[in-house]
Amino acid sequence: MKKKFLGIAFATIIAGSGCITSTSGSDNNEENNVEPNNENNPPSADCQTGDVGGDFDGKIEGDITFCGTVNVLDDIYNTGGASKITIRPGTRFIMSVDQSVEFGWAGNEATVIAQGTAANPIVFEGTSPNAGHWEEITINNTVTSDSVFEHVIVRHAGSDRAAIVNNNERSLLFKDVTIEQSASAGIASKSFKSGSSNLNVKDSVGPVAILDHALAVTNFPLGGTYENVEDNRVAVEFDNITDSVTFQNPGIPYYNINGLYNSADVDVTFEAGVEMEFRVDQQVEFGWAGNEMTLNVNGTEDAPVVFRGSTQEAGHWYGVRINGTVTTDSTISNMEIWHAGSGDRYPARIQSEITVNSLTFAENALPALSLGEQGLRDGSSNINVNTDTGIAAEIHSAAAHTLPADGSWGTGDAMVELVDGRLSNNGTLPNLNVPYRVADSLYNNADIEYEIETGTKLVFSSDTYFELGWAGNAITFSADGIELVGQAGNAGDWQGLRWNNTVSSASFLRNSTISDAGDPALRIQKTEGADITGNTIENSSGFCISKANDDTTDYAAGNTLDCASGGVE
């Protein structure tokens, strides 16, 4: 903002007006005498002796009260120490081309009471009714927190970044502020005070607002209207969340420019209906660098929380990363993630045992979800991946039993991939109605009880195996009506199922299919035999079953065996 450093103009009391008006000359009196736009803002009636109106050279020294019509001759700024700047209802500032207003200039403290009324708003407008005719109102950090901007209209500004630029982190009150015909954003702000409400922006380029700090999020002034704004969004320009925040629903999308992460221990909430669009290659990382976060995504069925790309194509932005320092009482409810997964990132990566209820992925690069070994919290439900091909999700095998079976994990050729192979906890592997692809051999590395739900299909990648009772660990295993097959459908695709001596006698495999394995498809090393009945074992490159020498069970009688080298070895 330019500064002309004019001296204080001599002032004269105009008889009968009650206002002081500057006697200094102006190079643009013709502009300043343009009849202002009086629509919706009739002149105020209560100017008092000592109030300043008429021509004003812009320099504020000490306390001042504005009233009536103020013809601004040069940039307005306060200097010379603390000032109390009062603007009476109905006051109208007429701004010439490229002029600006700066409260709290050069570190000088200011208290600004700009408190109009619905009938008599305070107006800042240009001498020409064109967007961007003048620059902006800047509010710096030395403006005191008891300052008020209420029933203020700003017209024809925004030739730079925004019509109002609030650099103040002390949380000022903005109430019933209206911005019209801005050539850029309505307001750029670092904070809003609790009680701020009714921001209105119309006939402007936009965005509606730019949020420069997390402090501007929680108390964003809701309740206003946004009409004929080209970029009808709220831009989120900060990336570092240093204070607990609640993203409210302004009724229009947020536009995230630089991603989000927390560098402090914070609580972050997204209210129902929040929509956030992300610029290309941006990422949200909660629990960044070991910082704790409690996350609450409070969508509803009718008003989900939606994260999506600013361009509607898969892989436009990176996605959401929920690290292990996100607290386990965190919840995600009714959330949608769209267009994520660029740069080989997962649209959602969850490394904390949180509760997820209704999380939907659409038009993302795959896999849409990566889930760490901690799994999901009990009570999680309804995860939906909208795909009919490819790997819908990549799940640590130790977490697989925490997956909710409701929802949809894809259709057609879609699969859920199991990685790492460890089975560490008691649980049931649910039937997701799509196959699991076993990327790494499965084995229990602890004493556990493990069930595979009826109808579940496991597709084993090349040279993998499924070992029960690995390394002397005990397991009680139960499965009835499952499929264990090779990925390519060829004999010897995978190494088969191993049933070791530490598998409990209560374990069973019934009415299931083992196909495409090596020699043998099923190795039973339990000397007293196993409850293996009603199964079909086929297309093995060797024997269907190999059993211990002391095992007298007649597996051929209780199962259908069709393998290259014969039934039982």
Side-chain angles (χ1 to χ4, degrees), residues 271-324:
E271 293 293 11
V274 166
E275 297 182 15
M276 187 170 289
E277 298 179 354
F278 289 85
R279 189 169 64 90
V280 64
D281 291 344
Q282 298 309 308
Q283 175 174 277
V284 176
E285 186 166 359
F286 296 138
W288 177 81
N291 294 292
E292 188 174 287
M293 175 187 284
T294 298
L295 172 66
N296 287 291
V297 178
N298 296 332
T300 66
E301 186 174 350
D302 294 331
V305 172
V306 179
F307 284 6
R308 61 170 178 254
S310 57
T311 298
Q312 297 181 15
E313 58 184 24
H316 177 75
W317 63 291
Y318 286 155
V320 181
R321 185 167 183 159
I322 298 173
N323 292 333

Side-chain angles (χ1 to χ4, degrees), residues 533-550:
T533 57
N535 303 290
T536 296
I537 304 175
E538 60 187 5
N539 199 32
S540 166
S541 61
F543 284 96
C544 290
I545 297 175
S546 174
K547 66 176 184 175
N549 291 331
D550 294 336

Side-chain angles (χ1 to χ4, degrees), residues 11 18-22 47-56 64-70 91 93:
C19 291
I20 295 177
T21 180
S22 167
C47 294
Q48 300 177 20
T49 300
D51 291 354
V52 172
D55 290 353
F56 179 67
I64 191 169
T65 299
F66 291 102
C67 190
T69 297
V70 181
T91 299
F93 293 83

Side-chain angles (χ1 to χ4, degrees), residues 210-438:
I210 301 172
L211 307 185
D212 288 328
H213 193 283
L215 293 171
V217 172
T218 300
N219 297 319
F220 183 85
L222 302 179
T225 58
Y226 320 118
E227 302 175 15
N228 194 29
V229 181
E230 291 181 29
D231 185 356
N232 200 27
R233 299 180 293 186
V234 175
V236 179
E237 194 153 293
F238 69 90
D239 55 0
N240 185 7
I241 301 175
T242 56
D243 300 271
S244 293
V245 297
T246 296
F247 285 87
Q248 303 178 87
N249 178 14
I252 55 176
Y254 291 95
Y255 175 45
N256 185 287
I257 298 172
N258 296 309
L260 289 173
Y261 68 98
N262 63 299
S263 65
D265 297 346
V266 296
D267 297 343
V268 175
T269 299
F270 293 87
E271 293 293 11
V274 166
E275 297 182 15
M276 187 170 289
E277 298 179 354
F278 289 85
R279 189 169 64 90
V280 64
D281 291 344
Q282 298 309 308
Q283 175 174 277
V284 176
E285 186 166 359
F286 296 138
W288 177 81
N291 294 292
E292 188 174 287
M293 175 187 284
T294 298
L295 172 66
N296 287 291
V297 178
N298 296 332
T300 66
E301 186 174 350
D302 294 331
V305 172
V306 179
F307 284 6
R308 61 170 178 254
S310 57
T311 298
Q312 297 181 15
E313 58 184 24
H316 177 75
W317 63 291
Y318 286 155
V320 181
R321 185 167 183 159
I322 298 173
N323 292 333
T325 50
V326 173
T327 62
T328 58
D329 57 344
S330 298
T331 60
I332 292 177
S333 297
N334 291 283
M335 183 179 187
E336 299 177 5
I337 297 177
W338 294 69
H339 315 129
S342 68
D344 295 324
R345 313 288 180 94
Y346 301 100
R349 184 175 184 180
I350 301 176
Q351 299 289 318
S352 177
E353 189 184 359
I354 65 173
T355 301
V356 174
N357 290 307
S358 191
L359 174 60
T360 297
F361 299 89
E363 297 180 20
N364 295 282
L366 298 176
L369 170 65
S370 170
L371 180 63
E373 65 178 302
Q374 80 293 325
L376 299 176
R377 201 169 180 86
D378 288 348
S380 293
S381 64
N382 201 30
I383 293 177
N384 302 280
V385 182
N386 294 338
T387 184
D388 60 5
T389 188
I391 302 299
E394 182 181 286
I395 309 298
H396 194 291
S397 56
H401 68 285
T402 71
L403 298 177
D406 56 355
S408 172
W409 293 86
T411 59
D413 295 328
M415 292 191 285
V416 170
E417 186 167 76
L418 300 181
V419 297
D420 185 85
R422 286 177 290 155
L423 304 176
S424 307
N425 302 288
N426 299 333
T428 298
L429 183 68
N431 177 13
L432 303 181
N433 296 310
V434 296
Y436 292 95
R437 179 183 183 272
V438 181

Side-chain angles (χ1 to χ4, degrees), residues 101 103 124 134-139 149 154 162-166:
V101 178
F103 298 124
F124 293 80
W134 59 287
E135 288 188 5
E136 65 198 21
I137 298 173
T138 299
I139 303 160
F149 296 83
V154 180
I164 300 175
V165 177
N166 176 27

